[in-house]
Amino acid sequence: MNWDSVGDALFGGVSRYGDILALVQNSVWAGAVLGIVGGLIGVFVMQRDMAFAVHGISELSFAGAAAALLLGFDVVTGSIVGSLVAAGLIGWLGARARDRNSIIGVLMPFGLGLGILCISLYSGRSANRFSLLTGQIVSVQSDQLTVLIVLGALVLVALLLIWRPLTFDSLDPQSAAARGVPTTAISFVFMLLLGVVVAVAVHIIGALLVLSLLVTPAAAAMRVSNGPVAVPLLAAGFGVTAAVGGILLAIAGTLPVSPYITTLSFLIYLVCRAIDGVRRRGSVEA
């Protein structure tokens, strides 16, 4: 291993950091938006024990994006269509956890296989195929950023409108149903919102790494707090820190941005888990 090449990969862009940062401003804003939306919706993903569903939806989103790439259509649109199809099927057929996991287990290999078939048949630039798996956050265009902001705003508004019944249904679905909460409709709407967020996340950070912004920040936040306001705020903050921090670190060198985002997200989780462990030991000793 050549340590000079490692140093160049990590810090080769420091001398022109300001110029590079000016070129990736759209990426920084995209990371911030995705971190906020992903962190907030991730809280409900964790409460509803649906981390597996996020991965399942991302596979169908990847298939939709790959099919759009092959056929010459808009990749973001294909990704959204694939995500919504997956989210709709999981929300419609997977009312119970056992059914949901079975459906996800069926959809995941199908989506991954279909996506691999499409990118294998694609004869264009290999970078386009690779970006579907690992994302292309450092090359976000102005029109893509606009789409991301609009979709993020729509998801946030819809999430705020159903926040209370969704929280009730997530924490105690039996009591929510007994109180007249339309749990089936709430679950279906949530799945569609999750599908949109996953589609955007897949386009930005790739199908393989989507969990790092839609699950890990919320899991970390729930380790250090259980407040109904603190947890969403912490999750959004952790998501923004991982996404934006990963971009700012990545542009100092030549490595892809995705490993930085996933590593930061993981480190945040480890710190929160350590804090939770220390707090628990202190309460036991007291």
Side-chain angles (χ1 to χ4, degrees):
M1 182 173 60
N2 189 330
W3 288 106
D4 290 336
S5 61
V6 173
D8 185 64
L10 292 174
F11 308 109
V14 171
S15 60
R16 53 187 189 280
Y17 190 90
D19 295 332
I20 299 174
L21 181 59
L23 295 175
V24 297
Q25 288 186 16
N26 286 346
S27 301
V28 174
W29 284 110
V33 173
L34 187 56
I36 292 172
V37 178
L40 290 177
I41 204 166
V43 173
F44 295 104
V45 170
M46 293 300 299
Q47 289 178 348
R48 301 171 79 87
D49 193 20
M50 295 184 67
F52 191 41
V54 172
H55 195 44
I57 294 172
S58 71
E59 302 293 1
L60 264 293
S61 179
F62 162 66
L69 184 66
L70 175 64
L71 299 174
F73 298 132
D74 181 64
V75 174
V76 178
T77 302
S79 179
I80 292 175
V81 170
S83 285
L84 291 180
V85 169
L89 287 174
I90 296 171
W92 177 40
L93 299 175
R96 295 180 299 178
R98 180 182 299 178
D99 294 336
R100 183 170 63 237
N101 289 335
S102 299
I103 293 165
I104 296 168
V106 171
L107 289 176
M108 281 179 58
F110 169 71
L112 186 59
L114 181 60
I116 292 174
L117 173 63
C118 290
I119 61 175
S120 298
L121 295 174
Y122 178 67
S123 58
R125 296 174 57 221
S126 59
N128 291 335
R129 293 180 288 183
F130 189 67
S131 67
L132 295 181
L133 294 173
T134 60
Q136 50 184 356
I137 196 168
V138 294
S139 60
V140 177
Q141 305 300 318
S142 296
D143 57 339
Q144 295 172 333
L145 178 61
T146 300
V147 172
L148 173 60
I149 291 175
V150 170
L151 290 177
L154 291 175
V155 169
L156 285 179
V157 170
L159 202 58
L160 289 174
L161 290 175
I162 64 171
W163 190 279
R164 292 186 64 182
L166 179 60
T167 301
F168 193 10
D169 181 49
S170 299
L171 297 177
D172 193 349
Q174 288 78 21
S175 297
R179 292 287 185 90
V181 176
T183 55
T184 302
I186 289 293
S187 298
F188 190 75
V189 170
F190 173 73
M191 288 303 302
L192 294 181
L193 295 177
L194 180 61
V196 173
V197 176
V198 169
V200 174
V202 165
H203 180 64
I204 298 297
I205 62 172
L208 298 180
L209 306 172
V210 67
L211 294 176
S212 63
L213 287 184
L214 269 70
V215 172
T216 311
M222 295 174 75
R223 281 285 176 177
V224 294
S225 178
N226 55 9
V229 176
V231 170
L233 290 179
L234 283 172
F238 292 158
V240 172
T241 300
V244 175
I247 297 169
L248 296 179
L249 289 173
I251 61 177
T254 59
L255 295 175
V257 67
S258 301
Y260 287 95
I261 294 177
T262 55
T263 301
L264 277 178
S265 187
F266 182 61
L267 289 176
I268 290 171
Y269 176 78
L270 288 182
V271 170
C272 290
R273 189 178 180 91
I275 293 173
D276 182 42
V278 171
R279 186 176 58 185
R280 288 177 184 272
R281 285 196 297 269
S283 63
V284 170
E285 292 174 358

